[in-house]
Amino acid sequence: MDKKDLFISAIKDNESFIYKIASVYTNTIEDRNDLVQEIIYQLWKSFDSFNQKSSLSTWMYRVALNVSLYQLKLSKKRISTIPIDEHLLNNRETDNSENDEAWKLFKQQIDNLNLLDKAIVMLYFDNKSYDEIAEIIGISKSNVGTKLLRIKEKLKSQINKTR
Amino acid sequence: MELDDLKNTWHNRSVQAQQQNVTFKLIDEMTQIKYHSKIKRIAYPEIVGSIICLMATIFIALNFYKLDTLFLQSVGILSIIVLLTLSILSFWSLRHLKMINDFNVSYSEALKRFATQKVKFYKLQKVNMTLCYVLLVTTIILLSKFFSGKDITGSNYFWTFSFSFGYVFLLFFSRFVTRFYKDTLKKSEELLQELQP
């Protein structure tokens, strides 16, 4: 298997997370697609430097989160883009419309978390173990547990407030 | 919506076939080096700003002989110092942008760099704007001397206008910066606190 095939196979395995994380960090489909492109580009660019100290998936998650964080900085330097509702209204090429409403509610809750908690909870939702979350985020396993408890409490209280 | 619903929503967010095609087309383009990262574009305004400042410095230096009084020469030197400081600040900001552009570090490390830079950036904004105001006044003085040969500083109106305008400008600006960045600064500082080992 050559480098390109290996990369495509790795992207296939983690594509779902890349799209989801890009959807969390952006507000329009255009911005999301830009971010997905940027993540895949940065992954490809540093694919050679992947040192196998961690698993390929762990490394990809880490790069994806870091690029998203960087993109946030970039987006603040640009003129604000079209809000999501208007875009959805005018663009037929939307995501699965059945899930749009649920996703909107999901984003409302997640957006209230800080950048660290947001990343931890996304990895938790993606069924990553505490060890993997600790490795991707760069904090101790016990710290992951403590933070997740606090995040769950915060989300519960947020959800209760919106009822 | 319950916590489990949030988890389900995350899992149900599927990738469309159409998007998958885009992904593979993109990988094809990247392997043929047709794709250009948008991230590099973030540096363009900083580079353009630095070039403008350096060009202005050269312009003042070349016309320095036209400044015939000690006061005008001091204004010229002050302008050069301010312009060079602004250029250095721009390059410094670029260096930090490159530093943050290492995607192989852990997310907490990236966040730490991100938040630290944000705090520094907002603090720098006040210095930057004060320097811009000083530059505005010195530029008016220098340009009138360079292009019309007149020393505008002899006019009382000029000083009255410059100082009253400057005072109002700096007062409003510092209030605006404090109010505008207060929340962002607080969030960044809290995040840094949280990331402390």
Side-chain angles (χ1 to χ4, degrees), chain B:
Chain B
M1 192 178 238
E2 300 284 344
L3 197 60
D4 285 340
D5 294 331
L6 289 179
K7 198 169 181 175
N8 288 337
T9 308
W10 175 264
H11 279 283
N12 292 337
R13 187 78 175 171
S14 57
V15 180
Q16 307 285 296
Q18 195 184 8
Q19 289 161 357
Q20 281 179 347
N21 290 336
V22 173
T23 307
F24 300 125
K25 193 172 164 252
L26 176 74
I27 295 171
D28 267 342
E29 284 180 1
M30 279 186 315
T31 50
Q32 293 162 36
I33 323 174
K34 281 182 187 168
Y35 178 77
H36 298 286
S37 169
K38 288 186 178 68
I39 275 179
K40 284 179 189 164
R41 291 182 203 164
I42 198 171
Y44 293 167
E46 306 291 342
I47 294 169
V48 171
S50 296
I51 292 171
I52 292 172
C53 285
L54 289 174
M55 280 167 65
T57 309
I58 294 167
F59 177 77
I60 295 169
L62 288 175
N63 290 283
F64 199 79
Y65 70 94
K66 291 181 184 170
L67 306 173
D68 44 13
T69 65
L70 185 65
F71 176 75
L72 285 174
Q73 285 168 357
S74 308
V75 171
I77 291 167
L78 180 65
S79 302
I80 290 174
I81 292 170
V82 171
L83 284 165
L84 287 176
T85 311
L86 287 170
S87 298
I88 291 164
L89 289 180
S90 252
F91 281 119
W92 180 81
S93 154
L94 262 182
R95 214 184 110 246
H96 279 261
L97 276 177
K98 278 184 186 161
M99 241 178 76
I100 215 172
N101 195 355
D102 175 7
F103 301 119
N104 288 306
V105 296
S106 71
Y107 185 70
S108 63
E109 181 57 36
L111 260 183
K112 225 181 274 177
R113 289 179 187 179
F114 185 72
T116 310
Q117 207 205 5
K118 217 183 224 178
V119 172
K120 278 184 187 165
F121 171 78
Y122 292 138
K123 284 180 181 166
L124 207 68
Q125 284 307 299
K126 284 187 181 178
V127 181
N128 225 343
M129 286 310 290
T130 311
L131 285 178
C132 283
Y133 168 68
V134 172
L135 193 64
L136 178 75
V137 176
T138 58
T139 305
I140 294 170
I141 299 171
L142 292 179
L143 288 183
S144 74
K145 183 68 186 167
F146 289 155
F147 293 109
S148 66
K150 285 180 190 166
D151 182 0
I152 202 170
T153 55
S155 157
N156 286 335
Y157 293 115
F158 173 73
W159 291 114
T160 314
F161 178 74
S162 294
F163 280 106
S164 54
F165 175 75
Y167 179 75
V168 173
F169 174 80
L170 289 177
L171 184 78
F172 275 100
F173 180 73
S174 63
R175 278 193 185 170
F176 167 77
V177 168
T178 316
R179 202 182 309 156
F180 189 76
Y181 294 138
K182 204 175 155 191
D183 283 348
T184 322
L185 261 176
K186 199 176 155 219
K187 277 181 195 162
S188 299
E189 279 162 352
E190 278 171 2
L191 197 61
L192 279 172
Q193 197 86 37
E194 207 173 320
L195 288 164
Q196 293 300 321

Side-chain angles (χ1 to χ4, degrees), chain A:
Chain A
M1 198 185 259
D2 71 359
K3 183 186 160 190
K4 189 179 156 188
D5 290 338
L6 192 70
F7 184 71
I8 288 177
S9 144
I11 290 289
K12 259 185 195 169
D13 292 343
N14 296 285
E15 189 180 35
S16 170
F17 181 76
I18 293 174
Y19 269 97
K20 285 177 197 172
I21 191 187
S23 302
V24 168
Y25 280 86
T26 55
N27 285 326
T28 68
I29 292 173
E30 196 191 2
D31 283 350
R32 185 206 58 191
N33 290 342
D34 276 355
L35 180 53
V36 169
Q37 285 189 12
E38 200 60 55
I39 291 171
I40 296 174
Y41 173 74
Q42 294 298 340
L43 283 168
W44 172 254
K45 220 176 86 178
S46 36
F47 196 51
D48 289 330
S49 66
F50 166 60
N51 54 20
Q52 296 185 345
K53 273 184 192 166
S54 53
S55 73
L56 184 59
S57 157
T58 299
W59 173 76
M60 289 182 110
Y61 273 56
R62 188 188 294 157
V63 173
L65 283 167
N66 288 347
V67 176
S68 305
L69 187 65
Y70 198 82
Q71 189 83 357
L72 263 187
K73 189 181 170 61
L74 188 74
S75 65
K76 285 185 180 148
K77 284 210 161 197
R78 290 189 314 203
I79 299 162
S80 61
T81 44
I82 314 154
I84 193 161
D85 286 343
E86 198 180 318
H87 191 86
L88 287 172
L89 217 69
N90 296 325
N91 196 339
R92 283 166 186 270
E93 195 197 329
T94 60
D95 293 294
N96 188 349
S97 54
E98 280 176 20
N99 292 327
D100 277 349
E101 198 53 39
W103 183 256
K104 230 168 119 181
L105 291 171
F106 173 89
K107 268 208 78 178
Q108 270 172 11
Q109 302 301 333
I110 295 294
D111 280 346
N112 285 324
L113 300 175
N114 71 29
L115 289 166
L116 179 66
D117 293 350
K118 202 186 267 189
I120 293 174
V121 83
M122 280 193 288
L123 293 166
Y124 166 75
F125 284 158
D126 221 53
N127 293 330
K128 290 282 160 197
S129 69
Y130 280 23
D131 279 324
E132 285 171 304
I133 298 176
E135 203 181 342
I136 295 165
I137 301 290
I139 54 176
S140 68
K141 192 179 161 185
S142 59
N143 209 350
V144 172
T146 317
K147 283 194 187 300
L148 265 173
L149 262 177
R150 224 178 49 199
I151 296 166
K152 283 180 194 170
E153 285 300 317
K154 194 176 176 189
L155 283 173
K156 266 184 200 161
S157 112
Q158 272 178 202
I159 291 165
N160 288 337
K161 270 184 202 167
T162 52
R163 275 180 181 161

